[in-house]
Amino acid sequence: MASAKTHLTFFFLLLPLLTTTTATVAAAAAALIGKPTAQINSNSVLVALLDSRYTELSELVEKALLLQTLEQAVSVHNITIFAPRNEALERDLDPEFKLFLLEPRNLRSLQRLLLHHIVPTRIGGSRWPNETTRHNTLSEHPLHLSNSESVKLVGSAKLVREDDVVRNDGIIHGIGRLLIPKSVQQEFNTRRSLRAILAVKPEGAPEVDPRTNRLKKPAPPVRPGSDPVLPIYSAMAPGPSLAPAPAPGPGGPHHHFDGESQVKDFIQTLLQYGGYNEMADILVNLTNLATEMGKLVSEGYVLTVLAPNDEAMAKLTTDQLAEPGAPEKIMYYHIVPEYQTEESMYNAVRRFGKIQYDTLHVPHKVVAQEADGSVKFGDGEETAYLFDPDIYIDGRISVQGIDGVLFPSSPVDRSLKMTESAKTIDHVKLVAKARRGKLLEVACRVLVSIGQDSKFTKCHQI
Ligand SMILES: *[C@@H]1O[C@H](CO)[C@@H](O)[C@H](O)[C@H]1NC(C)=O
Ligand SMILES: *[C@@H]1O[C@H](CO)[C@@H](O)[C@H](O)[C@H]1NC(C)=O
Ligand SMILES: *[C@@H]1O[C@H](CO)[C@@H](O)[C@H](O)[C@H]1NC(C)=O
């Protein structure tokens, strides 16, 4: 902080001493450091930032060696800085994430994170868009500005101090929380799971008798991070008639991977991403799938979740949710026991036309094919496009946003499908209101009516 100020101040002190034009000063400075230099003005929003209440942010900007980049930016255009309150960077930030940002080898991540808070145009409070609009930032990720019921939002952060600092070359608004670009979150997740693997000492893995699908006795040593011995279906918890009765799991968890944190991360990412609240809610609150997935990932299994977005979820009918275990079945059908990214799936459908992926809803498979330059899932009446690719990818869990809810096309599961008479949940109303929990409410109502509600603790809280 102190040295950052010195850096700029030193430059201003120089200015009056030189009886040349600013252009020459800039040229001289440029010659000195071998780069075109900005003509920074003491009135600049950058100088104001270093002097502002946002001390945590300006300290990070300095640590990230970004001052020169920003000086150049303000020399050619106005900037708008969305400055997180100090608390957002102190108290509210995962200490592990902060450590990650401050590690010198993660400098690029820190820079990208900070530049994500800066828009290369001037957006004053009075010119805040009424509609949700997308703005480029100085990072490669765009930001969405929105305005809902007179609450101004930057991504998921509330604007808490509008026009806090106004200068000729830019504006600083205070915001309530840090904006974390997807790529930085992913780098953190990856780094953490790698560390988790390295931090684990090798331990014995169980050996399975293929005839009984049960454990043989002594366990040979296994490399940490190696693939699990049993097929994923054997490791899954017994579900409501999902799979043939599973064999006992492979003798206790090995925890080569911190599956629970990874699942927590991806749910957090889904919530932050926006538009996938229903899915997150089902995983966490309506079923115990999140816990289940955490266990599987800890055991070394990999998963790809095809996450229907909220619009798709809102079209689910009460009939579709009525059968016991229906929410689980629907969700299991959207989980593929493989690690697939947008790229791998797209390449596969491009090369092979149609691809079948296993799902956790055995024995049903989900078909994927290329359509309109994207990947289309399902071959029955309900199909869904890959809509938000790679929402979360950390090497073990992949989350791909899709724009429909998929159902197995075999006649066995027709009962799950939409019937003509089924009443659709009022879509428009759902979108307009706070949507979270609506699906839960409907599902619980259905469950109460068939006496199944006691399985879901959340139902009693509604
Ligand atoms: C920044 O915005 C101000 C006010 O709109 C304008 O006068 C000025 O020319 C802009 N500066 C640059 C470098 O575009
Ligand atoms: C937003 O709406 C208000 C009132 O309807 C209007 O005065 C204002 O100009 C609009 N702002 C923008 C950026 O369109
Ligand atoms: C689960 O329910 C609680 C309380 O109803 C809610 O605050 C939380 O956001 C829900 N979780 C998700 C992931 O939606």
Side-chain angles (χ1 to χ4, degrees):
M1 174 75 198
S3 76
K5 261 188 202 154
T6 326
H7 170 78
L8 287 168
T9 325
F10 178 65
F11 197 69
F12 305 135
L13 287 177
L14 268 180
L15 281 175
L17 298 179
L18 297 164
T19 51
T20 43
T21 62
T22 343
T24 341
V25 176
L32 223 67
I33 59 167
K35 258 191 177 188
T37 299
Q39 304 161 26
I40 190 92
N41 189 308
S42 59
N43 241 340
S44 166
V45 70
L46 285 183
V47 180
L49 173 66
L50 297 181
D51 246 338
S52 70
R53 68 176 87 241
Y54 305 104
T55 53
E56 289 283 322
L57 177 67
S58 38
E59 214 167 295
L60 282 181
V61 167
E62 189 212 346
K63 284 208 175 98
L65 312 173
L66 280 177
L67 279 174
Q68 207 187 344
T69 311
L70 294 179
E71 283 172 28
Q72 274 164 20
V74 292
S75 73
V76 285
H77 52 70
N78 273 266
I79 59 173
T80 302
I81 303 176
F82 298 106
R85 320 175 280 141
N86 279 347
E87 292 84 350
L89 286 161
E90 288 166 336
R91 210 187 46 208
D92 305 346
L93 200 58
D94 177 359
E96 230 183 300
F97 183 62
K98 195 163 181 187
L99 275 181
F100 164 83
L101 290 177
L102 294 177
E103 271 178 62
R105 63 172 170 173
N106 299 328
L107 179 66
R108 296 255 168 255
S109 303
L110 176 61
Q111 290 179 333
R112 201 157 346 108
L113 175 98
L114 295 171
L115 293 175
H116 189 54
H117 291 75
I118 304 175
V119 171
T121 51
R122 186 182 185 88
I123 307 169
S126 61
R127 294 188 46 219
W128 200 267
N130 291 328
E131 304 279 307
T132 302
T133 53
R134 178 190 153 109
H135 288 265
N136 289 331
T137 64
L138 296 186
S139 78
E140 72 262 38
H141 304 280
L143 263 184
H144 291 91
L145 303 191
S146 54
N147 197 341
S148 108
E149 284 156 19
S150 76
V151 178
K152 294 182 173 134
L153 290 173
V154 184
S156 54
K158 268 193 200 136
L159 199 69
V160 291
R161 282 178 184 275
E162 187 171 321
D163 298 337
D164 195 12
V165 175
V166 178
R167 292 291 184 273
N168 270 338
D169 57 354
I171 294 187
I172 302 178
H173 301 288
I175 57 174
R177 56 188 278 190
L178 187 67
L179 304 165
I180 303 174
K182 207 163 78 176
S183 67
V184 174
Q185 178 78 51
Q186 268 158 20
E187 281 151 8
F188 172 60
N189 295 339
T190 311
R191 186 59 52 76
R192 186 161 63 177
S193 28
L194 285 179
R195 212 177 40 226
I197 294 167
L198 294 176
V200 162
K201 285 199 236 99
E203 59 172 279
E207 199 184 338
V208 179
D209 185 333
R211 285 167 306 135
T212 58
N213 210 19
R214 271 160 212 266
L215 297 177
K216 284 187 189 167
K217 39 172 198 28
V222 71
R223 271 191 320 115
S226 57
D227 288 338
V229 198
L230 289 172
I232 192 166
Y233 306 106
S234 311
M236 279 165 63
S241 63
L242 288 173
H254 308 301
H255 293 302
H256 292 159
F257 307 97
D258 185 0
E260 268 150 49
S261 306
Q262 279 174 267
V263 168
K264 224 173 82 191
D265 278 346
F266 105 68
I267 302 238
Q268 197 55 36
T269 309
L270 268 186
L271 291 175
Q272 260 176 18
Y273 195 89
Y276 291 88
N277 294 352
E278 301 279 12
M279 180 73 185
D281 210 14
I282 292 191
L283 292 176
V284 174
N285 284 335
L286 184 55
T287 66
N288 48 17
L289 277 180
T291 316
E292 177 67 22
M293 290 171 71
K295 276 195 216 129
L296 291 173
V297 173
S298 295
E299 291 291 330
Y301 297 100
V302 293
L303 300 170
T304 297
V305 183
L306 305 175
N309 61 19
D310 287 347
E311 265 87 318
M313 287 291 201
K315 289 179 195 144
L316 277 178
T317 63
T318 44
D319 282 16
Q320 286 168 312
L321 295 164
E323 217 179 282
E328 278 101 336
K329 277 189 199 165
I330 297 174
M331 286 305 112
Y332 272 129
Y333 190 59
H334 289 78
I335 304 176
V336 173
E338 293 169 41
Y339 183 74
Q340 296 287 346
T341 61
E342 178 201 25
E343 197 185 1
S344 67
M345 288 193 287
Y346 187 64
N347 286 343
V349 295
R350 280 281 299 273
R351 275 177 70 191
F352 301 108
K354 266 191 187 181
I355 292 275
Q356 279 196 336
Y357 293 105
D358 285 336
T359 70
L360 293 191
H361 185 12
V362 274
H364 302 286
K365 297 181 192 302
V366 64
V367 174
Q369 57 196 300
E370 190 197 357
D372 311 324
S374 174
V375 182
K376 189 175 91 171
F377 297 97
D379 57 355
E381 287 157 44
E382 283 90 18
T383 57
Y385 282 89
L386 190 54
F387 191 67
D388 286 313
D390 297 347
I391 294 178
Y392 180 93
I393 41 176
D394 70 0
R396 307 210 71 84
I397 301 179
S398 153
V399 181
Q400 306 290 331
I402 58 175
D403 65 356
V405 178
L406 299 165
F407 291 93
S409 52
S410 79
V412 191
D413 281 277
R414 284 284 152 176
S415 61
L416 269 182
K417 297 191 55 156
M418 208 181 290
T419 61
E420 290 303 326
S421 60
K423 270 203 340 240
T424 307
I425 303 167
D426 187 355
H427 188 187
V428 181
K429 200 172 78 207
L430 284 183
V431 174
K433 279 209 307 172
R435 287 272 312 279
R436 223 225 90 249
K438 192 67 188 172
L439 187 57
L440 188 57
E441 200 181 296
V442 171
C444 286
R445 220 164 44 225
V446 172
L447 291 171
V448 169
S449 70
I450 56 176
Q452 285 277 333
D453 61 311
S454 54
K455 273 169 68 185
F456 302 103
T457 47
K458 284 287 164 195
C459 287
H460 303 296
Q461 294 168 13
I462 295 181

